């Protein structure tokens, strides 16, 4: 079984060597861990993965190979009832969904506070208490057009205005092997080269022309080396609904790292607020204030947002609207500050352009971006690069 696991990691482009594989087997033989998939995961990651940037790739390969194994091997636990219930998620007709009354922001938060004070036990279904299923605005695995998600592993209807769980996001892989060069070609339209400095680079075309004109006598022509002067500030949405677009955003990120010599990047979730981060595993301990980012980089940086702009409108327009903490200022304020600090800006949206008109939050972001939103397609990238190069 572990031989196939080894080949799975290699197929996932992880640089795992035979020596590291043998080290893992020696550790298992020495009973370093107990019969637990979790323990094996940490042992395998420690022995096989050389760099923290490869953790996400390892997680995906591990999950694909060992999917369902914990349920089969851990006989000390019963099959949880919750796991069975989540397979029978509540389905409502469009008429039933339309009949559910939407609460306003203030009423929603005040009602949640009262529910915490009143509720004394677990609740399943219904339309009032905090629980699972049903149409209550509080809980998990049900439906409400503007609810607060509590205790659900991921979003389903993309309608929660608050998420009462701490989630861990993963960095995008900037070393992804691209299946096509088209994204690089599209991004290359933004590059501007200027000939500066000493003559250090061979001008092949001019050398050939001069040699031919000189009756075959070699006449070498040199020109100043070309320098890529484009500076890019890349702000990427990560986690939540962006999980559906990981592969395409990683392709874009990998291409950008290759094409732009002067590239700075930061992560945010859903909307930019008063801080961003560079490492998703340390995003709570290593925060970068947005004001510092604005002051650090000159206005000649091209600002590129990458995100699906799919969220509750409260997250953009309301103080405290962030799904994760109580932000003092609305996201719209920070978006405007960023676009004013960096006049050359664009927003790249991986969501299919055909659904943009049905997302209220996308319309709001488009307005804040002065309609400078482009789809994550070759045509969209070319349009964005053309705009940024003007």
């Amino acid at each position: 079984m572990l031989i196939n696991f080894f080949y799975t990691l290699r197929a996932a482009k992880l640089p795992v060597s035979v020596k590291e594989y043998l080290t893992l087997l020696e550790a298992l033989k020495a009973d370093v861990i107990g019969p637990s998939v979790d323990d094996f995961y940490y042992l395998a990651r420690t022995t096989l993965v050389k760099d923290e940037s490869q953790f996400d790739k390892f997680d995906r390969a591990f999950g694909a190979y060992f999917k369902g194994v914990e349920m089969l091997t851990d006989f000390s636990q019963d099959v949880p009832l919750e796991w069975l219930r989540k397979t029978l998620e509540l389905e409502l007709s469009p008429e039933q969904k339309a009949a559910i009354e939407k609460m306003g922001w203030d009423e929603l938060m005040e009602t949640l506070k009262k529910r915490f004070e009143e509720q004394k036990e677990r609740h399943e279904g219904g339309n009032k208490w905090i629980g699972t299923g049903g149409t209550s605005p509080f809980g998990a695995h049900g439906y409400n057009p503007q609810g607060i998600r509590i205790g659900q592993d991921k979003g389903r209807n993309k309608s929660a205005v608050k998420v009462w769980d701490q989630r861990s996001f993963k960095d995008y892989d900037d070393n992804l092997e691209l299946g096509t060069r088209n994204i690089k070609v599209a991004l290359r339209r933004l590059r501007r080269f200027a000939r500066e400095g000493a003559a250090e680079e061979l001008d092949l075309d001019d050398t050939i022309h001069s040699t031919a004109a000189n009756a075959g006598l070699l006449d070498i022509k040199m020109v100043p080396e070309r320098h890529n002067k484009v500076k890019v500030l890349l702000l990427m949405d990560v986690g939540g609904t962006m999980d559906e677009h990981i592969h395409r955003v990683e392709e874009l990120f990998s291409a950008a790292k290759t094409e732009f010599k002067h590239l700075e990047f930061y992560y945010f979730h859903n909307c930019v607020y008063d801080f961003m981060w560079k490492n998703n595993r340390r995003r709570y301990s290593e925060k970068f204030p947005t004001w510092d980012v604005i002051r650090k980089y000159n206005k000649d940086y091209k600002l590129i947002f990458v995100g699906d702009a799919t969220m509750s409108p409260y997250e953009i327009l309301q103080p405290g609207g962030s799904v994760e903490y109580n932000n003092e200022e609305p996201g719209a304020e920070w978006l405007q500050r960023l676009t004013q600090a960096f006049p050359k800006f664009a927003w790249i949206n991986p969501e299919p352009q055909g659904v943009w008109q049905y997302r209220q939050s996308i319309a709001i972001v488009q307005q804040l971006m002065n309609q400078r939103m482009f789809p994550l397609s070759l045509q969209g990238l070319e349009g964005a690069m053309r705009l940024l190069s003007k």
Side-chain angles (χ1 to χ4, degrees):
M1 180 181 72
L2 290 184
I3 292 178
N4 290 332
F5 174 56
F6 172 76
Y7 285 124
T8 298
L9 297 179
R10 294 292 293 269
K13 306 294 185 181
L14 280 162
V16 181
S17 68
V18 174
K19 182 179 179 180
E20 292 161 344
Y21 171 68
L22 293 177
T23 300
L24 174 63
L25 295 183
E26 290 175 3
L28 292 174
K29 186 177 180 180
D31 294 327
V32 173
I33 61 172
S36 164
V37 174
D38 286 341
D39 291 346
F40 176 75
Y41 162 80
Y42 288 110
L43 175 63
R45 196 180 74 173
T46 301
T47 56
L48 301 177
V49 181
K50 303 178 181 68
D51 189 88
E52 188 183 60
S53 65
Q54 302 290 332
F55 281 177
D56 184 37
K57 195 178 293 184
F58 175 81
D59 288 352
R60 282 183 278 172
F62 187 95
Y65 189 80
F66 286 99
K67 184 177 182 180
V69 171
E70 185 172 19
M71 182 69 70
L72 297 174
T73 57
D74 190 359
F75 298 106
S76 64
Q77 299 182 10
D78 296 329
V79 177
L81 180 60
E82 293 301 322
W83 181 83
L84 296 175
R85 284 175 174 165
K86 286 168 71 173
T87 63
L88 302 175
E89 293 180 339
L90 177 66
E91 294 186 2
L92 302 178
S93 67
E95 292 78 12
Q96 290 173 313
K97 291 181 179 181
I100 298 176
E101 180 181 0
K102 293 185 179 182
M103 291 184 179
W105 174 262
D106 294 336
E107 183 182 358
L108 187 68
M109 300 304 294
E110 184 63 28
T111 304
L112 174 63
K113 181 181 179 181
K114 293 179 180 178
R115 292 288 186 275
F116 274 124
E117 295 172 352
E118 297 173 5
Q119 188 167 337
K120 304 301 181 184
E121 59 185 12
R122 188 189 179 286
H123 189 73
E124 174 79 22
N127 60 7
K128 178 180 179 181
W129 298 112
I130 303 168
T132 57
T135 58
S136 167
F138 314 110
H141 307 294
Y143 174 81
N144 192 284
Q146 289 190 352
I148 295 178
R149 198 169 79 229
I150 303 174
Q152 183 173 301
D153 53 353
K154 62 180 180 179
R156 291 155 54 262
N157 298 302
K158 301 178 181 178
S159 60
V161 301
K162 205 79 170 176
V163 179
W164 223 267
D165 303 289
Q166 179 172 313
R167 294 172 290 170
S168 60
F169 304 142
K170 297 178 180 178
D171 294 347
Y172 291 127
D173 187 353
D174 60 359
N175 295 312
L176 182 69
E177 290 291 334
L178 299 181
T180 177
R181 290 177 54 86
N182 290 339
I183 294 180
K184 291 185 178 182
V185 172
L187 295 179
R188 199 167 297 163
R189 292 180 179 274
L190 181 58
R191 298 197 311 186
R192 288 179 180 172
F193 292 102
R195 296 199 178 277
E196 300 175 340
E200 300 174 348
E201 186 176 271
L202 174 67
D203 189 338
L204 183 59
D205 292 338
D206 195 15
T207 298
I208 293 174
H209 178 76
S210 298
T211 301
N214 200 24
L217 295 175
L218 183 61
D219 186 11
I220 297 178
K221 298 293 183 181
M222 303 293 289
V223 294
E225 185 181 1
R226 296 192 301 174
H227 298 279
N228 187 347
K229 301 191 66 176
V230 174
K231 300 177 181 178
V232 175
L233 178 58
L234 186 64
L235 306 183
M236 296 178 290
D237 184 5
V238 64
T241 56
M242 284 296 292
D243 287 348
E244 302 173 12
H245 311 293
I246 286 177
H247 182 71
R248 297 172 66 211
V249 175
E250 284 183 336
E251 285 187 338
L252 175 63
F253 188 26
S254 182
K257 292 274 282 189
T258 301
E259 293 303 314
F260 302 129
K261 181 179 179 180
H262 305 285
L263 175 69
E264 300 290 341
F265 70 90
Y266 295 87
Y267 292 108
F268 65 93
H269 179 55
N270 284 359
C271 192
V272 178
Y273 300 109
D274 53 314
F275 69 90
M276 293 179 279
W277 57 93
K278 276 184 169 290
N279 187 312
N280 280 293
R281 285 183 172 83
R282 295 193 292 268
R283 68 191 182 105
Y284 294 108
S285 59
E286 296 183 2
K287 301 176 181 179
F288 294 85
T290 306
W291 269 126
D292 289 354
V293 173
I294 292 174
R295 293 170 181 142
K296 181 177 181 179
Y297 304 106
N298 298 326
K299 65 178 181 180
D300 57 344
Y301 271 81
K302 318 288 186 181
L303 176 61
I304 302 177
F305 298 90
V306 179
D308 59 7
T310 299
M311 66 197 94
S312 165
Y314 293 124
E315 295 182 60
I316 309 171
L317 304 174
Q318 180 79 33
S322 168
V323 297
E324 298 187 300
Y325 75 108
N326 289 320
N327 51 296
E328 294 184 359
E329 296 180 286
E333 292 287 340
W334 290 107
L335 292 179
Q336 289 176 340
R337 287 169 183 157
L338 284 163
T339 55
Q340 289 170 2
F342 305 100
K344 300 294 182 67
F345 62 89
W347 187 294
I348 308 297
N349 193 332
E351 276 285 282
Q353 196 169 6
V355 306
W356 289 7
Q357 60 181 319
Y358 302 108
R359 305 274 168 80
Q360 186 180 359
S361 58
I362 292 181
I364 296 172
V365 173
Q366 275 187 302
Q367 184 177 357
L368 292 169
M369 292 291 111
N370 295 328
Q371 305 304 317
R372 297 183 182 185
M373 182 179 286
F374 299 85
L376 182 49
S377 63
L378 295 179
Q379 184 177 2
L381 287 174
E382 289 183 356
M385 298 306 106
R386 192 177 300 112
L387 174 68
L388 292 172
S389 64
K390 291 181 178 179

